[in-house]
Amino acid sequence: MKFVLRMAARELRASWTRLLFFFVSIAVGVGAMISLGSVIQSVRAALMKESKGITAADLLIWADRPYSDNARYIVDEKLQKHGALSTTRSVESTAMARPEDESRKATTMVELRAVEEAFPFYGRMELADGRPYEHDLLKGRGALVRPELLTRLGVRVGDRIRIGEASFEIRGVVVREAGRSLSMFTMGPRVFIDHADLETTGILDYASRIRRQILVRVDEDKLEDLVWDLEGALANEFVRVRSYKEAGDQLARRLNRGESYLSLAGFVILILGGVGVWSVVRVFVAQKLKSIAVLKCVGATTRQVLAIYVVQVLALSVVGCALGLGLARLVVAWIPVGLGLDVKDVEYGLTASSVVQGIAIGLLVSVLFSLIPLLHLRLVRPLWLLRPESVQPGPHRRSLRERLASLDRMQLAAGVILVLALVGVASWQAESLLIGAYVSATFVGLSVALHFAGSLLIRAVAPLSRSSYFPLRHAVLNVSRPGNQTRVILLAVGVGFCFVLAIRGIQTNLLEQFAVELREDAPDLFFLDIQADQKDLLEERARRLGASTVKLVPVLRGRVVRVEGRTLQLESYQEVRERDWLGREYTLTYRNHLEDNERILEGAWWPESHSSEPEVSIEENLKEDFGMEVGDVLTFDIMGRQLAARVTSIREVEWADARNGGFMFVFRPGGLEGVPSSYAGFVKGPNDPMERARFQSDLVEDFYNVSIVDLRDILDDLAQVVDRVSLAITVVGSVALLSGGLILLGSVAMTKYQRSYETAIFRTLGASRRRVAAMMVLEYGTLGALAGAIGSLGAQVLTFLLSERVLEIPFRPDVLAQAGAILAASFAVALVGMLVTLDVLRHKPLSILRVG
Amino acid sequence: MIRLESVSKVVQSGPEELTILHPLDLEVPKGQFLSIMGPSGSGKSTLLGLVAGLDAPTSGRVVVDGEDLTALDEDALARLRGAKIGFVFQFFHLLPSLTALENVLVPMEIAGIAGADARSRELLREVGLSERTHHYPSQLSGGEQQRVALARALANEPPILLADEPTGNLDAENGRHIVEILLGIHERRGTTIVLATHDQELAGKADRVLVLRGGRIERVHERAAVVPLVSAASRG
């Protein structure tokens, strides 16, 4: 062992400058992983706080009926069992509000929320005048209201309003509230009052929609168990449980994808680092062959020799990882400054877990990628010292059988281990085995393709070796002669390009997804509580007042309480409840036509006529998740009344197109006859804020019972978050591009060590520098183009797989970008080839020949 | 000490087979200084390689100090070489990233011998390089490099020393110096030496000369009859 360590130290001492590229490759890779990992974790923490803000708690428990004793007991018991940190109560209900001053004939429905001192656990409450929110503002019959309320009732801060039987003083205007849900409609402007004052309103006696909530704060690691436990125990009760993670479904889904992307990007950069390491070690081993032969000649065993180099690799990796760590520190410190992000929101810093992960994976990658060329050491025979020609096989073509027979089994095994390790790590990082499999499969498939491409290329250009143009002739000969660099360059450039382009491709697709959500022409006002007899009038009025889109749809709220189907049989509401989200309250609608964002998948849409037998069209997820089929009979509980409807079609809804909303259940007109419904409207209002405010108040004057919800608020918040994430994704994509490029080009540059000898010979024989350079440019340029072509093809495949199958976003091939990439690859590699040549040409031939 | 039994060597050169050594028998008793002569391509280096276990014969057996080399794997051969065979090459083959002293240390470190440092210095002193212990091969002349190689070959006090054209890359004076050292080793330590060379003078100092031609042993001469026949052989 002492010998091994001593030799390793001596060798490193002599050649560490040549191994700088090794450091750089690992440092870049590890640095990328650690900084991305840290950023992800920091951003995730911040965004989770956002979604916590949406729920205003870690966990929300609610019921639309008074809690039974049993339910109360269960809740208390479970909360205690799982160590809930604190709880606070809240009640949400709709109520009518009107100015205290009876001379004002205004009245409106409001979404009342009665809260206690501790509310909210998370999220920000912002008041219009900039004062900080305090529960004291609500004590003693105070109210905090949304601005729409003021418009609607024509009141101001300081005025009094009546809610139910009690009178409240408006003590402030809320412009940003915690505990707001994104996906559910609200029935009117929000009004906050003190929980203690709720009784006095008398609402608890007569209001139909009262939601009694318990907000819970609990440690992150206990949350899931608590949720699971509560849901199980409360299955028979009409009590629901929801963690903050389920809030804002779409947003969360998008963000998860962003995270996977970032983790994966970090890992891919590290793979590229591995490619860099591989190229360095390859060259290093090639240069050490003689020394290794000497060692074996004087008594060293293969194991000792291998150990010497493994130790060196480990030492270099450790240093590289340390450098990477330093790099990550710099990057993470720069992020808030460089990207101009609001430092208050996110605390950026290296997280312990990302550091450990980065270093561990960095070491693993560098050792594994080094292993394959290192294993070549085993084959070094000391005989080579006596007979150098015994090492290089002659240029004669070996048959496939001969080639297969000469395959180094250990190297193959090492290759297999490498791939398995890649799959494992990729899966771990992206938290998905599928992603890991796709990435590794691409890596392997690409390597194989590039290997064969090399052979094909050699055969294809063979005729050109008879060209009279010297540089071309020798470029072609170089490509195929023994010890050629063809495969190395193809592999390094091809694999590198593939991954870099794939990251960019996914980035493009992801960003498009985000963009679609926030289209300029999307409706930004929701109208609620439009009575049937107001519908036409309101539509006309809205258009006259400046609305560019007005779409009104009938709405009711109901739950599924029974399913009699071919695949699914649920006898009672309890059984329905047990099926995930099937038991929740849905917004139902009825209409004769399909919307633009809908498509029939199975069954048939009903004709224009009414029918007396209720029919319903369900959204495809209901079939996918629950096995509902055309022909099943679903029983709904709509405001206490039961209604059975037959499923006559299954629809696909393009949820991203929010213009027409999206309904899971659409009834055929006539089936819901006699069930009172109101209308909801999707409206695009004026953009100008003043006009917008006037638009709303004018409408409300005529239709005082209609509530208007302005989506701008919500979309603004979404936009902010999305911007941040998009920026992060773009930055990462660019970092991947840069570091990938750096590593690729470095790998190509590594081939210079094997070039210098030939170049010296050519020069000695009379070739001018220009000729030699032309030779290199042709050779490298061609290889670059070929590698770029294959790499970009691989990138398309990988991008497709990851986009469609994993991230579930549509894949759009970008032909122009692909063509551009191939040109760029060719140019870049040729450029490196030329620079490398120039560097080699700097030295006098003799100095090279003498050492050789 | 060394015994070759019907040893032959055939190699693949491109699509053809090339017979470098036709089946031959050879015995080198302990303590003998054997010199192998012959024109380029006669198989001298190959023969040496077979004796050192650097190469495997196509047929036959190579027995060194009682051990059948053909039965040993690569690692066992390496260990054998470390313990029993010192090898000197025409092109020195020093480890470029190690100093002269470190080069000589390596075989002893591999074998785990104590007091290696002192012994290395002693060996370098013996070959006249005590002033150059910390120089790298690139800083040494050809003659100096070969002396270091010689010191390295003797590091583990091997009973057998093999040399492939040790003076082939040196000028006359340096060559003579090397020869003196070799002879000194043979006299003082009784080391069995097998040496392949073109050098008539050097060959003439051996106890026995083997002349190879076309992969076969053409002639074998004992010392007394060596000198006139050496010149005849070199003309051949």
Side-chain angles (χ1 to χ4, degrees):
Chain A
M1 195 58 201
K2 252 196 259 173
F3 163 66
V4 166
L5 290 174
R6 276 206 205 118
M7 274 308 292
R10 288 166 187 157
E11 296 245 315
L12 274 178
R13 173 192 74 197
S15 37
W16 72 270
T17 48
R18 261 183 291 163
L19 297 164
L20 276 175
F21 185 59
F22 187 111
F23 295 139
V24 169
S25 301
I26 289 297
V28 167
V30 169
M33 278 213 85
I34 294 178
S35 38
L36 282 172
S38 298
V39 164
I40 288 171
Q41 284 167 12
S42 308
V43 169
R44 178 191 266 186
L47 289 178
M48 274 303 146
K49 268 198 238 158
E50 291 276 349
S51 53
K52 282 192 190 184
I54 290 167
T55 321
D58 290 313
L59 179 68
L60 191 65
I61 304 169
W62 79 93
D64 292 339
R65 317 173 178 201
Y67 290 87
S68 66
D69 289 334
N70 185 41
R72 216 188 290 272
Y73 171 76
I74 289 173
V75 168
D76 287 339
E77 192 238 324
K78 298 298 179 195
L79 288 182
Q80 188 175 57
K81 176 177 162 196
H82 292 273
L85 298 170
S86 50
T87 62
T88 185
R89 290 176 304 169
S90 155
V91 173
E92 279 186 288
S93 175
T94 52
M96 296 307 286
R98 57 204 183 281
E100 174 95 315
D101 178 0
E102 292 194 355
S103 65
R104 308 267 198 83
K105 292 282 179 227
T107 180
T108 180
M109 180 170 281
V110 298
E111 284 261 0
L112 196 64
R113 194 162 196 185
V115 299
E116 293 182 324
E117 184 92 38
F119 179 93
F121 286 137
Y122 306 106
R124 287 206 294 272
M125 299 273 279
E126 282 172 17
L127 302 182
D129 54 13
R131 275 180 302 157
Y133 167 77
E134 283 170 337
H135 187 74
D136 283 348
L137 288 169
L138 299 174
K139 283 203 182 129
R141 307 268 190 92
L144 292 174
V145 305
R146 274 287 201 169
E148 305 85 72
L149 183 84
L150 303 181
T151 326
R152 217 160 288 191
L153 298 182
V155 293
R156 284 199 300 254
V157 174
D159 289 348
R160 296 192 78 88
I161 53 173
R162 289 193 77 80
I163 300 175
E165 289 160 28
S167 157
F168 291 84
E169 182 196 351
I170 300 175
R171 303 230 179 104
V173 176
V174 175
V175 292
R176 190 193 160 107
E177 59 178 284
R180 170 192 13 89
S181 69
L182 289 180
S183 50
M184 294 194 329
F185 296 145
T186 59
M187 303 296 278
R190 172 70 86 198
V191 172
F192 287 94
I193 62 172
D194 189 356
H195 193 271
D197 294 332
L198 187 59
E199 282 259 12
T200 62
T201 62
I203 291 173
L204 295 172
D205 299 328
Y206 61 75
S208 52
R209 270 197 66 197
I210 299 185
R211 177 161 292 185
R212 294 168 174 78
Q213 300 163 332
I214 302 172
L215 286 79
V216 180
R217 212 160 58 84
V218 69
D219 281 335
E220 182 74 33
D221 52 353
K222 301 204 173 90
L223 181 60
E224 290 218 24
D225 286 340
L226 177 56
V227 170
W228 193 84
D229 208 356
L230 274 170
E231 280 179 339
L234 293 170
N236 288 330
E237 305 282 341
F238 283 97
V239 177
R240 295 297 311 265
V241 175
R242 192 179 75 187
S243 78
Y244 73 89
K245 291 182 186 175
E246 296 158 44
D249 299 355
Q250 276 194 330
L251 180 62
R253 251 208 326 244
R254 297 280 186 274
L255 291 176
N256 278 341
R257 290 179 199 157
E259 269 182 35
S260 297
Y261 166 81
L262 291 180
S263 305
L264 201 58
F267 177 63
V268 164
I269 294 175
L270 193 58
I271 291 188
L272 294 178
V275 171
V277 160
W278 169 75
S279 72
V280 170
V281 175
R282 253 194 79 256
V283 168
F284 188 56
V285 164
Q287 292 175 316
K288 290 287 170 182
L289 289 180
K290 203 180 83 165
S291 298
I292 292 164
V294 170
L295 284 172
K296 287 196 183 182
C297 190
V298 298
T301 59
T302 303
R303 194 178 297 179
Q304 283 173 313
V305 170
L306 205 51
I308 292 172
Y309 291 92
V310 169
V311 165
Q312 289 182 63
V313 164
L314 277 173
L316 290 171
S317 310
V318 166
V319 174
C321 287
L323 276 175
L325 184 60
L327 205 64
R329 276 214 74 148
L330 287 173
V331 168
V332 168
W334 170 82
I335 283 178
V337 173
L339 299 182
L341 294 173
D342 186 355
V343 188
K344 274 190 291 166
D345 289 5
V346 182
E347 285 168 35
Y348 290 104
L350 296 185
T351 60
S353 91
S354 64
V355 168
V356 169
Q357 273 184 42
I359 291 183
I361 298 175
L363 286 174
L364 185 69
V365 164
S366 62
V367 167
L368 284 178
F369 273 89
S370 305
L371 208 56
I372 296 175
L374 277 184
L375 286 175
H376 193 56
L377 295 181
R378 289 161 36 252
L379 305 174
V380 172
R381 310 271 317 280
L383 177 63
W384 184 62
L385 298 170
L386 273 182
R387 266 199 298 138
E389 68 279 7
S390 66
V391 169
Q392 304 279 27
H396 85 278
R397 296 258 178 75
R398 294 185 292 168
S399 72
L400 186 62
R401 184 141 49 108
E402 281 175 329
R403 289 221 279 222
L404 280 175
S406 70
L407 267 182
D408 185 347
R409 255 180 279 273
M410 276 220 87
Q411 279 191 325
L412 210 60
V416 169
I417 292 176
L418 174 66
V419 171
L420 288 176
L422 283 183
V423 173
V425 176
S427 310
W428 174 34
Q429 286 301 294
E431 288 175 8
S432 150
L433 191 58
L434 203 57
I435 294 181
Y438 282 146
V439 167
S440 306
T442 306
F443 182 68
V444 171
L446 199 61
S447 306
V448 170
L450 288 165
H451 183 88
F452 284 113
S455 309
L456 282 173
L457 174 72
I458 290 170
R459 244 171 262 196
V461 299
L464 291 174
S465 65
R466 289 191 279 276
S467 156
S468 56
Y469 183 43
F470 180 93
L472 179 62
R473 192 163 67 246
H474 283 277
V476 169
L477 288 171
N478 277 347
V479 155
S480 58
R481 59 175 171 68
N484 63 67
Q485 301 305 303
T486 309
R487 296 239 161 71
V488 174
I489 295 175
L490 282 180
L491 197 63
V493 176
V495 168
F497 247 73
C498 169
F499 283 110
V500 167
L501 288 177
I503 296 282
R504 292 292 285 195
I506 296 171
Q507 171 188 324
T508 313
N509 289 346
L510 257 181
L511 291 180
E512 262 180 30
Q513 273 306 103
F514 280 102
V516 162
E517 313 277 52
L518 306 169
R519 268 209 301 259
E520 277 299 310
D521 58 346
D524 52 13
L525 295 168
F526 282 156
F527 282 53
L528 296 143
D529 273 344
I530 304 168
Q531 301 307 301
D533 54 3
Q534 293 173 317
K535 174 177 170 280
D536 297 325
L537 267 169
L538 183 135
E539 183 166 351
E540 195 216 319
R541 191 97 170 86
R543 283 198 198 278
R544 252 196 296 134
L545 285 170
S548 46
T549 321
V550 180
K551 192 169 181 75
L552 304 181
V553 298
V555 291
L556 306 99
R557 293 188 69 79
R559 293 183 209 271
V560 174
V561 293
R562 191 134 155 232
V563 179
E564 290 154 66
R566 257 192 291 153
T567 332
L568 188 68
Q569 288 278 345
L570 302 169
E571 298 290 310
S572 66
Y573 179 56
Q574 180 190 338
E575 283 182 28
V576 171
R577 274 282 311 280
E578 280 160 11
R579 294 310 210 98
D580 284 334
W581 44 274
L582 185 56
R584 73 163 169 90
E585 199 170 59
Y586 285 95
T587 305
L588 315 171
T589 189
Y590 54 87
R591 57 175 134 86
N592 261 330
H593 58 276
L594 270 177
E595 295 289 3
D596 294 333
N597 64 341
E598 291 180 331
R599 201 163 60 95
I600 294 290
L601 296 175
E602 273 180 54
W605 188 253
W606 39 77
E608 288 257 341
S609 57
H610 282 214
S611 110
S612 51
E613 212 219 312
E615 291 176 32
V616 68
S617 167
I618 64 175
E619 197 262 1
E620 61 179 331
N621 281 305
L622 287 161
K623 175 183 160 112
E624 262 177 52
D625 290 352
F626 305 113
M628 285 186 184
E629 307 271 2
V630 171
D632 291 356
V633 175
L634 310 176
T635 307
F636 291 84
D637 180 317
I638 302 174
M639 292 165 55
R641 287 160 61 151
Q642 298 233 336
L643 183 90
R646 181 182 303 275
V647 178
T648 51
S649 62
I650 298 180
R651 276 168 307 129
E652 180 197 49
V653 177
E654 179 69 56
W655 291 98
D657 184 353
R659 269 179 295 196
N660 305 301
F663 291 91
M664 299 296 282
F665 297 99
V666 176
F667 283 77
R668 185 174 179 177
L672 295 171
E673 217 73 62
V675 183
S677 69
S678 61
Y679 279 78
F682 299 81
V683 177
K684 171 91 178 81
N687 285 327
D688 179 75
M690 292 273 282
E691 280 188 36
R692 207 173 163 76
R694 204 171 330 132
F695 174 81
Q696 292 184 55
S697 77
D698 281 353
L699 269 176
V700 163
E701 233 188 81
D702 290 346
F703 305 96
Y704 62 85
N705 60 309
V706 172
S707 306
I708 305 179
V709 178
D710 195 335
L711 267 190
R712 286 262 165 117
D713 295 340
I714 301 171
L715 290 180
D716 276 346
D717 289 343
L718 255 182
Q720 267 185 37
V721 172
V722 163
D723 273 348
R724 267 200 292 246
V725 178
S726 303
L727 186 59
I729 290 176
T730 309
V731 165
V732 166
S734 309
V735 168
L737 189 67
L738 272 174
S739 56
L742 182 71
I743 289 168
L744 284 191
L745 299 180
S747 306
V748 172
M750 278 285 115
T751 59
K752 97 168 177 191
Y753 289 105
Q754 273 137 312
R755 291 255 100 122
S756 37
Y757 188 72
E758 297 136 28
T759 313
I761 302 272
F762 272 115
R763 301 259 286 123
T764 311
L765 295 174
S768 69
R769 287 195 215 204
R770 187 176 298 184
R771 250 191 215 211
V772 175
M775 219 166 76
M776 293 300 205
V777 166
L778 272 173
E779 184 189 340
Y780 280 59
T782 315
L783 291 176
L786 184 63
I790 297 178
S792 71
L793 202 66
Q796 289 290 283
V797 170
L798 187 59
T799 308
F800 169 75
L801 285 173
L802 292 179
S803 298
E804 294 265 347
R805 299 280 156 84
V806 178
L807 298 177
E808 289 173 7
I809 55 180
F811 163 75
R812 257 176 266 285
D814 193 343
V815 181
L816 213 60
Q818 298 308 313
I822 296 173
L823 278 174
S826 177
F827 178 71
V829 176
L831 185 65
V832 171
M834 192 163 78
L835 291 173
V836 154
T837 314
L838 288 178
D839 181 55
V840 164
L841 287 171
R842 264 191 312 125
H843 300 288
K844 290 261 176 244
L846 188 59
S847 60
I848 298 170
L849 290 172
R850 212 190 239 166
V851 171
Chain B
M1 198 75 203
I2 302 171
R3 199 168 70 242
L4 277 69
E5 298 169 4
S6 292
V7 164
S8 73
K9 183 68 186 176
V10 178
V11 297
Q12 199 77 20
S13 174
E16 294 167 3
E17 273 189 2
L18 198 63
T19 305
I20 300 187
L21 287 176
H22 293 274
L24 56 82
D25 296 291
L26 177 65
E27 202 166 316
V28 185
K30 184 169 160 142
Q32 186 173 81
F33 184 158
L34 173 73
S35 150
I36 305 178
M37 289 194 69
S40 214
S42 55
K44 307 190 292 295
S45 300
T46 305
L47 188 57
L48 270 183
L50 289 171
V51 172
L54 296 174
D55 200 358
T58 311
S59 72
R61 280 195 337 152
V62 180
V63 181
V64 172
D65 200 15
E67 296 219 45
D68 181 0
L69 299 193
T70 45
L72 299 177
D73 65 24
E74 284 296 327
D75 282 351
L77 285 169
R79 280 191 289 267
L80 179 81
R81 282 193 293 272
K84 302 205 175 157
I85 302 174
F87 208 109
V88 179
F89 296 92
Q90 180 177 358
F91 294 102
F92 328 133
H93 289 322
L94 294 176
L95 293 169
S97 39
L98 273 58
T99 61
L101 184 71
E102 287 166 345
N103 264 284
V104 179
L105 275 171
V106 166
M108 289 186 268
E109 284 174 344
I110 292 173
I113 290 176
D117 194 86
R119 182 162 162 71
S120 302
R121 288 178 197 277
E122 174 60 33
L123 281 165
L124 284 172
R125 195 191 57 77
E126 266 189 54
V127 299
L129 287 175
S130 15
E131 307 298 307
R132 314 281 265 152
T133 54
H134 291 295
H135 287 82
Y136 287 92
S138 54
Q139 298 165 313
L140 300 171
S141 73
E144 288 168 333
Q145 287 187 56
Q146 194 62 300
R147 280 186 270 162
V148 174
L150 206 45
R152 177 180 71 188
L154 295 169
N156 284 343
E157 295 187 76
I160 301 169
L161 185 68
L162 304 175
D164 182 26
E165 306 271 12
T167 58
N169 242 26
L170 303 174
D171 58 57
E173 171 156 350
N174 274 308
R176 260 197 298 279
H177 201 157
I178 294 293
V179 168
E180 272 168 36
I181 299 174
L182 276 173
L183 287 173
I185 291 167
H186 180 237
E187 272 173 40
R188 280 196 308 278
R189 301 166 196 250
T191 313
T192 308
I193 303 183
V194 181
L195 182 131
T197 183
H198 282 134
D199 189 335
Q200 307 166 32
E201 195 178 332
L202 178 53
K205 312 246 192 262
D207 295 332
R208 188 149 71 114
V209 176
L210 196 79
V211 179
L212 279 183
R213 193 182 299 276
R216 291 177 220 269
I217 301 179
E218 196 181 63
R219 283 189 294 274
V220 181
H221 304 280
E222 302 303 319
R223 174 176 257 195
V226 158
V227 176
L229 287 158
V230 158
S231 31
S234 60
R235 256 186 278 122

